[in-house]
């Protein structure tokens, strides 16, 4: 599932390609056809990213809410756009560029009240300037569930997925099994700082690289895939910090990875 950095990158990309244009819209697959026809030729103002949600705002207060879910993806490019094929839910385009959306969990025309209802279910998004760590702490510190589950709960904070969960907890020496309520404020503050830094780096790079060069097998050049993470998908491989075997277990329906020595307890 795309994490918050992917969603924010998409928003930046689509704003630079499409904001201010009256877009032609279609749904070759048919499932969004009526809404696409309704919005075709309407000026697109901007798209906002919030957690894993995208809100495409059009003149007249009309909004398209998109959630990619596990399988959704956008592709874009210059005109001429390719012939539509596959389950193409939503195409937006103008004379110079197009973007195609396939396989989203949500692609729906909504009003501001519906946007508010989606936002009301979400905790702060670390990639948004107004995000309040105090508010995340308030939501996290009263949960008895494992911190590895709380970090994935979009009502606690919005945008963190499985990779950032594993990596941010490892960097801070916190076991994903520890109850969220057992974290000290100092531990939380350090964890928050790591999450913000990692997500911003992900937006810049377009990929998740959490390791520093001195912790990689090849210390110069871009991080190779096998060097990009400390614990994510490294079950049974040695911890880059202490050499202990990385362990994994299912937490909040996804596989969590951690070092039992660097991240004790729980
Ligand atoms: Zn370790």
């Amino acid at each position: 599932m795309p994490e918050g950095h992917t969603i924010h990158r998409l928003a930046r990309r689509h704003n630079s390609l499409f904001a201010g244009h009256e877009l032609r819209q279609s749904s070759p697959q048919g499932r969004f056809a009526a809404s696409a026809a309704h919005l075709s030729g309407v000026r697109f103002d901007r798209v906002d990213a919030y957690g894993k949600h995208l809100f495409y705002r059009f003149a007249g207060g009309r909004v398209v809410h998109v959630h990619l879910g596990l399988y959704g993806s956008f592709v874009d490019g210059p005109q001429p756009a390719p012939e539509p094929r596959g389950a193409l839910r939503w195409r937006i385009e103008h004379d110079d560029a197009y973007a195609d959306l396939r396989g989203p969990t949500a692609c729906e025309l909504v009003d501001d009240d519906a946007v508010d209802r989606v936002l009301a279910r979400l905790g702060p998004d670390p990639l948004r300037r107004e995000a309040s760590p105090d508010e995340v702490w308030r939501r996290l510190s009263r949960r008895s569930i494992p911190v590895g589950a709380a970090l994935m709960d979009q009502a606690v904070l919005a945008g963190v997925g499985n990779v950032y969960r594993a990596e941010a907890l490892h960097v801070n020496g916190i076991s994903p099994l520890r109850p969220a309520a057992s974290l000290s404020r100092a531990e939380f503050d350090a964890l928050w700082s790591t999450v913000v830094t990692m997500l911003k780096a992900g937006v810049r790079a377009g990929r998740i690289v959490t390791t520093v060069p001195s912790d990689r097998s090849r210390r110069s050049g871009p991080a190779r895939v096998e060097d990009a993470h400390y614990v994510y998908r490294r079950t049974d491989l040695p911890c880059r910090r202490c050499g202990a075997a990385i362990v994994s277990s299912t937490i909040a329906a996804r596989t969590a990875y951690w070092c039992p020595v660097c991240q004790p307890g729980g």
Side-chain angles (χ1 to χ4, degrees), residues 150-167:
L151 284 182
M152 300 281 275
D153 183 343
Q154 302 296 299
V156 172
L157 76 172
V160 168
N162 203 22
V163 188
Y164 287 121
R165 159 176 82 169
E167 298 295 296

Side-chain angles (χ1 to χ4, degrees), residues 118-261:
V118 173
L119 294 181
R121 298 199 306 264
L122 300 177
D125 174 349
L127 281 171
R128 293 187 66 88
R129 224 172 262 123
E130 76 275 11
S132 160
D134 289 342
E135 179 60 24
V136 179
W137 168 248
R138 196 180 68 76
R139 292 170 184 233
L140 188 89
S141 61
R142 59 187 187 189
R143 305 293 298 273
S144 58
I145 58 174
V147 64
L151 284 182
M152 300 281 275
D153 183 343
Q154 302 296 299
V156 172
L157 76 172
V160 168
N162 203 22
V163 188
Y164 287 121
R165 159 176 82 169
E167 298 295 296
L169 287 171
H170 177 77
V171 165
N172 288 284
I174 298 169
S175 167
L177 297 174
R178 279 181 52 190
S182 77
L183 266 63
S184 69
R185 180 66 201 242
E187 284 178 315
F188 168 76
D189 286 342
L191 182 61
W192 173 259
S193 170
T194 300
V195 165
V196 171
T197 302
M198 283 183 173
L199 278 162
K200 285 182 174 172
V203 173
R204 282 195 302 275
R207 60 187 289 225
I208 303 178
V209 175
T210 57
T211 52
V212 296
S214 58
D215 287 331
R216 298 175 194 152
S217 58
R218 191 180 68 174
R219 298 189 176 191
S220 61
R224 294 176 295 185
V225 173
E226 63 269 28
D227 266 349
H229 308 127
Y230 284 103
V231 291
Y232 178 72
R233 286 194 174 162
R234 286 179 53 81
T235 308
D236 294 335
L237 292 172
C239 174
R240 296 182 192 279
R241 291 273 163 81
C242 75
I246 301 301
V247 297
S248 57
S249 179
T250 302
I251 302 176
R254 306 286 300 279
T255 305
Y257 306 84
W258 70 99
C259 170
V261 174

